[in-house]
Amino acid sequence: MTDTSEPAWFPIALRLDDVRVLVVGGGMIAANKVRLLLAHRAKVDVIATRLDDEMRRWEEDGTITHIATTADESALRAALPGCRLVYAATDDRETNRAVAAIAREMNIPVCAVDDPQPSTFITPAQIHRGLVRIAISTGGAAPVLARRLREQVESSIPEGTGELAIFMQQQREYVGQACPDISRRRRVWETFLDGAGAQAARQNETARARAILDDIIAGTTTRGEVWLVGAGPGDPDLLTLRALHMMQNADSVLYDQLLSPALLDRVRRDAELVFVGKRRNRHTMPQEEINAELVRRAQAGQRVLRLKGGDPFVFGRGGEEIEALLESAIPFQVVPGITAANGCAAYAGIPLTHRDCAQACMFVTGHARADGTLHLPWDSMARPGQTVVIYMGVSALPALCARLEEHGLPADWPAAIVERGTRADQRVLTGTLASLPLQAASAGVGSPALIIVGEVVRHRVISPA
């Protein structure tokens, strides 16, 4: 009859200060367990004939005790008395099971790594953020899955969460005295966690965090904040962890035309989404009104996310918006994003610089004036030894290529256009200054698209399927 009982979890909050734990094994598997135990301040003994480099360093600095012998029955029975836990962590399953059998006989909890059948407890995949600890387990059935889930959860927990927990611990007595009613106390903490106070605590700005907490307790309306966040060139997986965190904590989001629906799906569900346009030659909301709207919402106490494609400071008018915020004394934060140039070139397989042909890279915007003329630094652009990346230049592509030829680049100078770069429907056309305008017109290329001019286009690579 098969034993279907599951081994117990190793309690993540178990205090192991100076508790003796025996680890059998001296390689990477054992080192992973020792690292975890040391984080819990356990006193670790290791039975192994040899130790890997990391384990040897621990032995040399006195962090662990090395029992240099084979894990035979006599050695185990000599080492086990006084131990509270045992890890059988060699790369040999039969050895691990023999260790587990002796430990069970001596009524000592044992974990045979990646083998739940002889184990009396298992260690879940764990996330540490100071005082905050999270455990994920599949009951020993699929440890690789547990580790993968840990990675996904860990990516959603912002840095500084440990500092936030410490701040809240330090303020518990104060908040408890100020708010004797449990329901009100819970609402105060929820409001603090949902607002700028939590962000200040994560950044160790304890005075600011305390001031915000005081305002919440007093019922004072707190001033809001504006976050200028770069969303990258299109692929949602290129969002930074900080950008994702802010997208999930904003009260309102002002966003542009070029952002894909997949990116907006990452925004907090109950946030107000405000489309502010920014299409070529047709703005739903002029820049001055966008600036005023950011100020208005922040003054009303909102956490306002200004979400921009690429990076806020690369042709994103982030500088103008910050100046408006400063004039009104509105707190703000800027989160950089992967620029369209970097992201689109990488996904297209085109290096922006190359030791053989491009030691510099120039970013320009291809917006034409109302009369159709282009005012660009042509002499600086039309030079060998560099790459020129042109934003927002699709409609002016024939004129761009012609002017670069007029200023000295040959007609067969390499050029490429990347349409909807980094997205699933990305298209890349490569050609020359002479051929690319016709190629783009024939293919019906439209915005958003990026133009790359330079010999690096010849170095384009495509990964084998």
Side-chain angles (χ1 to χ4, degrees):
M1 184 173 180
T2 302
D3 181 8
T4 59
S5 61
E6 293 185 358
W9 275 32
F10 168 68
I12 191 65
L14 182 66
R15 296 185 65 86
L16 295 178
D17 304 60
D18 297 324
V19 169
R20 280 191 64 213
V21 179
L22 181 66
V23 176
V24 180
M28 181 185 67
I29 298 171
N32 290 337
K33 299 306 177 185
V34 171
R35 197 178 303 111
L36 170 67
L37 292 165
L38 293 178
H40 286 268
R41 297 180 293 277
K43 184 177 180 181
V44 181
D45 295 344
V46 176
I47 289 182
T49 55
R50 296 177 59 188
L51 301 177
D52 74 359
D53 292 342
E54 186 176 19
M55 298 269 271
R56 188 165 58 252
R57 286 194 295 272
W58 286 329
E59 180 198 18
E60 291 170 352
D61 63 21
T63 304
I64 65 173
T65 299
H66 179 207
I67 304 172
T69 184
T70 57
D72 56 28
E73 183 173 352
S74 61
L76 288 167
R77 291 190 183 279
L80 281 169
C83 290
R84 294 279 300 277
L85 298 172
V86 179
Y87 280 92
T90 74
D91 58 4
D92 181 80
R93 172 167 286 204
E94 293 308 313
T95 298
N96 291 345
R97 290 196 166 194
V99 172
I102 296 173
R104 292 175 72 135
E105 179 189 326
M106 298 177 68
N107 293 319
I108 302 173
V110 61
C111 173
V113 176
D114 288 341
D115 190 5
Q117 193 276 327
S119 302
T120 56
F121 76 91
I122 58 175
T123 305
Q126 301 179 28
I127 299 167
H128 288 186
R129 289 288 191 275
L131 298 177
V132 179
R133 297 183 179 182
I134 301 170
I136 299 172
S137 175
T138 60
V144 174
L145 174 60
R147 288 195 293 270
R148 184 59 55 83
L149 292 172
R150 179 197 65 193
E151 294 168 4
Q152 294 174 2
V153 172
E154 193 164 27
S155 68
S156 67
I157 301 174
E159 284 299 318
T161 297
E163 286 74 11
L164 172 60
I166 291 172
F167 175 84
M168 294 179 68
Q169 179 188 49
Q170 294 170 340
Q171 304 302 320
R172 281 189 67 183
E173 183 177 353
Y174 164 69
V175 175
Q177 293 174 351
C179 306
D181 180 73
I182 294 176
S183 296
R184 181 166 181 262
R185 187 160 66 242
R186 183 183 302 114
R187 287 195 300 273
V188 165
W189 280 125
E190 289 173 348
T191 302
F192 178 83
L193 286 172
D194 288 340
Q199 185 64 30
R202 288 190 185 98
Q203 295 174 341
N204 259 332
E205 298 175 4
T206 54
R208 180 170 170 245
R210 174 60 185 263
I212 294 171
L213 182 60
D214 288 341
D215 286 343
I216 295 170
I217 292 172
T220 305
T221 300
T222 58
R223 182 174 50 176
E225 187 173 17
V226 175
W227 304 331
L228 275 70
V229 174
D235 185 344
D237 287 343
L238 294 180
L239 284 168
T240 64
L241 296 179
R242 187 165 181 78
L244 183 61
H245 169 69
M246 290 185 161
M247 290 167 68
Q248 294 173 348
N249 284 276
D251 297 312
S252 59
V253 180
L254 277 63
Y255 69 97
D256 293 341
Q257 168 67 23
L258 297 180
L259 294 182
S260 67
L263 279 168
L264 294 175
D265 285 343
R266 308 289 178 99
V267 171
R268 173 176 151 186
R269 293 299 179 190
D270 58 345
E272 181 185 0
L273 297 178
V274 182
F275 174 57
V276 294
K278 307 283 283 182
R279 297 179 185 175
R280 185 178 65 86
N281 296 331
R282 188 180 64 181
H283 287 195
T284 297
M285 187 180 292
Q287 186 63 51
E288 293 75 14
E289 292 184 23
I290 294 174
N291 298 346
E293 187 68 9
L294 293 173
V295 171
R296 183 188 70 79
R297 289 174 177 270
Q299 288 176 336
Q302 293 186 16
R303 293 161 296 174
V304 188
L305 177 67
R306 180 68 176 100
L307 193 61
K308 297 169 174 288
D311 182 274
F313 284 176
V314 180
F315 303 127
R317 295 196 172 183
E320 298 174 41
E321 291 169 353
I322 280 180
E323 289 170 357
L325 297 173
L326 283 171
E327 288 178 5
S328 298
I330 301 296
F332 64 85
Q333 297 182 48
V334 180
V335 179
I338 294 176
T339 67
N342 286 89
C344 296
Y347 272 53
I350 300 172
L352 290 179
T353 62
H354 195 288
R355 184 171 59 177
D356 294 340
C357 61
Q359 293 75 47
C361 185
M362 176 185 290
F363 296 172
V364 299
T365 176
H367 265 318
R369 292 180 173 179
D371 61 1
T373 61
L374 291 165
H375 183 66
L376 293 172
W378 299 108
D379 290 335
S380 298
M381 293 167 60
R383 292 177 179 174
Q386 69 176 5
T387 304
V388 178
V389 180
I390 305 169
Y391 286 67
M392 299 169 282
V394 176
S395 62
L397 181 59
L400 285 165
C401 292
R403 295 297 300 275
L404 288 171
E405 287 187 54
E406 291 173 11
H407 284 78
L409 289 181
D412 62 354
W413 195 248
I417 189 164
V418 184
E419 181 187 36
R420 297 184 295 273
T422 78
R423 302 183 188 180
D425 57 350
Q426 170 182 290
R427 286 198 300 174
V428 181
L429 302 179
T430 61
T432 65
L433 292 178
S435 68
L436 192 63
L438 182 58
Q439 289 175 264
S442 299
V445 171
S447 295
L450 199 76
I451 301 161
I452 302 174
V453 178
E455 291 181 291
V456 292
V457 174
R458 292 197 183 106
H459 291 272
R460 183 188 181 205
V461 293
I462 301 174
S463 176

